[in-house]
Amino acid sequence: MKISIYNTYDEMSKAAAELVAKQLAIKPDSVLCFPSGDSPTGMLKNLVDAANDGRIDLSQCFFVGLDEWVGMDQNDVGSCKYYLHTNFFSKLSIDPERIILFDAKSDDLESECERINNFISEKGGLDVMMVGIGMNGHLGLNEPGTSFDLYAHRSALDPITVQVGQKYFQQETKLTEGITLGLKHLSEAKIPVLIASGAKKATIIAEGLQGSVTTEVPASILQTIPNAIILLDKDAASALEHAS
């Protein structure tokens, strides 16, 4: 894996957007997966600005959702769909047919997983799969203990995820289950990317990237993915040994 460390959040965000832009220059109809959360917001803003200025063209891309809280959709403030629509899709003119997100209100979540898996497979895999990292080392909603060999699946939420997840909601919200792309998707992505910012993530980033490879720290799978790209600001990288 290649670790790049940036002095500021803004520099990291621009680098992440440039990575996507370079991929679009090679393959305009790329299949892209972006996370929600604090770390990718700046990158998404950079992409929106570049698209609206005519510097990149997102109209031929396909966008696959990373994960979602079960029982929520884009009308729920705090949902992943809400985040992506608010920060990205609503600011662009993208054909809704090119936006493939989990229906986390479906009565048949297993079929939802199959639908997303099949779409990714039919498109030849994800060109860019970008993930953030949770305080417990989760990627997407692949919680501690999740097999590295799973594709999209339902996920019982770890207590740390439930606790930290409250920051996205305006009031205490019951979170019990997620639906998510799997770690197998990440290991098979043409460009697998971790983006993370802030000192609060430093300890778990060091554990994931330099500790033991174990399903108890899902982020440790990145150590087994030779083409993984790690984008960190210096605060997020502050606990890494030999960080530069």
Side-chain angles (χ1 to χ4, degrees):
M1 59 183 174
K2 180 185 177 185
I3 300 175
S4 297
I5 300 168
Y6 300 90
N7 286 325
T8 67
Y9 174 80
D10 286 345
E11 287 179 15
M12 181 195 72
S13 299
K14 287 176 183 175
E18 286 170 9
L19 180 153
V20 175
K22 286 178 180 176
Q23 171 61 24
L24 295 179
I26 297 167
K27 186 183 176 188
D29 61 345
S30 289
V31 183
L32 308 175
C33 173
F34 298 140
S36 54
D38 299 327
S39 295
T41 303
M43 176 203 66
L44 294 179
K45 183 181 186 305
N46 276 280
L47 289 175
V48 167
D49 290 345
N52 288 333
D53 291 346
R55 287 179 280 129
I56 62 172
D57 180 8
L58 294 167
S59 66
Q60 297 181 61
C61 295
F62 295 92
F63 299 91
V64 177
L66 175 61
D67 54 16
E68 188 56 270
W69 310 111
V70 166
M72 297 189 189
D73 62 21
Q74 72 188 65
N75 297 313
D76 295 293
V77 176
S79 71
C80 304
K81 277 187 178 180
Y82 178 88
Y83 170 90
L84 287 172
H85 278 277
T86 301
N87 290 285
F88 194 62
F89 297 130
S90 68
K91 302 175 187 296
L92 300 164
S93 299
I94 293 174
D95 181 352
E97 294 289 318
R98 293 182 173 273
I99 302 172
I100 297 86
L101 307 179
F102 286 107
D103 176 5
K105 287 190 169 180
S106 171
D107 292 331
D108 190 348
L109 295 174
E110 302 303 332
S111 289
E112 273 300 290
C113 292
E114 192 174 343
R115 177 177 70 88
I116 299 291
N117 286 337
N118 288 342
F119 178 84
I120 293 170
S121 178
E122 287 164 7
K123 291 296 176 186
L126 293 163
D127 290 296
V128 177
M129 181 173 173
M130 190 173 293
V131 296
I133 182 172
M135 297 299 291
N136 58 3
H138 76 203
L139 304 176
L141 287 173
N142 291 280
E143 301 286 31
T146 301
S147 168
F148 290 173
D149 292 322
L150 286 181
Y151 290 105
H153 60 99
R154 298 170 67 167
S155 172
L157 299 178
D158 184 78
I160 293 174
T161 300
V162 173
Q163 178 186 352
V164 175
Q166 298 302 322
K167 70 180 180 180
Y168 300 116
F169 300 94
Q170 295 166 336
Q171 57 194 29
E172 187 80 15
T173 300
K174 186 178 182 182
L175 302 172
T176 59
E177 198 175 11
I179 186 169
T180 183
L181 295 188
L183 295 171
K184 191 72 169 172
H185 283 124
L186 188 66
S187 65
E188 292 181 355
K190 295 177 183 68
I191 305 178
V193 184
L194 170 68
I195 184 170
S197 60
K200 67 181 182 296
K201 296 287 179 71
T203 300
I204 191 61
I205 286 168
E207 188 177 351
L209 300 185
Q210 296 182 335
S212 300
V213 175
T214 168
T215 58
E216 291 308 309
V217 183
S220 68
I221 191 177
L222 291 160
Q223 297 183 50
T224 74
I225 305 176
N227 60 329
I229 295 172
I230 317 298
L231 305 177
L232 307 172
D233 66 12
K234 65 180 181 181
D235 289 338
S238 59
L240 290 173
E241 294 181 17
H242 313 300
S244 58

